[in-house]
Amino acid sequence: MMDVVCGVIENKVGQFLACLRPAGKHLGGLWEFPGGKVDPGESPAAALARELLEELAVVVEVGVSLSPVIWNYGDRTIRLLPFRCRIIGGQLQALEHQKLLWCLPQDFDDLLWAPADLPILREISATDCA
């Protein structure tokens, strides 16, 4: 099983960053929370900070972890480790995604998400609307 981290990045007005995977890539055309694989010997938090710098050109403060998601894509099984994050430096750019979008939890359903991200969306919505 492969460990994958993702950043649940929230801005000051309670919007979360959704990233559109480019066509032609695995899960192309679906929205996701940004992140990537954890390298051997790397902590999940360090992996996430590295991936977000590579993909979005931002420095983040990695905060609390959310519930891990085990997801089987048929050809691979991942353990997705989500963390809440906030941007503390850099200039947000879509270096590896087709599009970036800030959205409120009530707007999550307007986007077509990668399946493994759906439990994270439910957890955020439950937490933020409580």
Side-chain angles (χ1 to χ4, degrees), residues 40-92:
E42 195 175 35
S43 74
L48 185 56
R50 175 183 54 75
E51 286 282 351
L52 296 181
L53 187 59
E54 289 171 5
E55 291 186 5
L56 300 170
V58 290
V59 178
V60 297
E61 180 180 78
V62 179
V64 298
S65 59
L66 299 171
S67 305
V69 177
I70 309 288
W71 198 267
N72 186 330
Y73 277 110
D75 60 336
R76 67 188 86 174
T77 300
I78 65 166
R79 180 170 59 173
L80 188 57
L81 306 168
F83 290 86
R84 284 189 175 256
C85 297
R86 66 188 187 98
I87 295 171
I88 55 172
Q91 193 65 50
L92 189 63

Side-chain angles (χ1 to χ4, degrees), residues 12-129:
K12 290 182 174 71
V13 293
Q15 295 171 315
F16 293 88
L17 186 65
C19 301
L20 183 60
R21 293 183 63 86
K25 271 191 140 178
H26 179 63
L27 304 175
L30 298 179
W31 293 85
E32 68 173 1
F33 291 115
K37 296 183 199 68
V38 179
D39 288 338
E42 195 175 35
S43 74
L48 185 56
R50 175 183 54 75
E51 286 282 351
L52 296 181
L53 187 59
E54 289 171 5
E55 291 186 5
L56 300 170
V58 290
V59 178
V60 297
E61 180 180 78
V62 179
V64 298
S65 59
L66 299 171
S67 305
V69 177
I70 309 288
W71 198 267
N72 186 330
Y73 277 110
D75 60 336
R76 67 188 86 174
T77 300
I78 65 166
R79 180 170 59 173
L80 188 57
L81 306 168
F83 290 86
R84 284 189 175 256
C85 297
R86 66 188 187 98
I87 295 171
I88 55 172
Q91 193 65 50
L92 189 63
Q93 298 173 56
L95 299 177
E96 293 188 18
H97 292 91
Q98 203 168 311
K99 192 176 177 187
L100 306 177
L101 182 71
W102 289 102
C103 58
L104 292 165
Q106 59 261 37
D107 302 325
F108 286 162
D109 290 345
D110 296 344
L111 304 177
L112 199 57
W113 289 84
D117 287 42
L118 296 174
I120 303 169
L121 296 170
R122 285 196 291 273
E123 185 173 351
I124 296 167
S125 298
T127 311
D128 285 24
C129 299

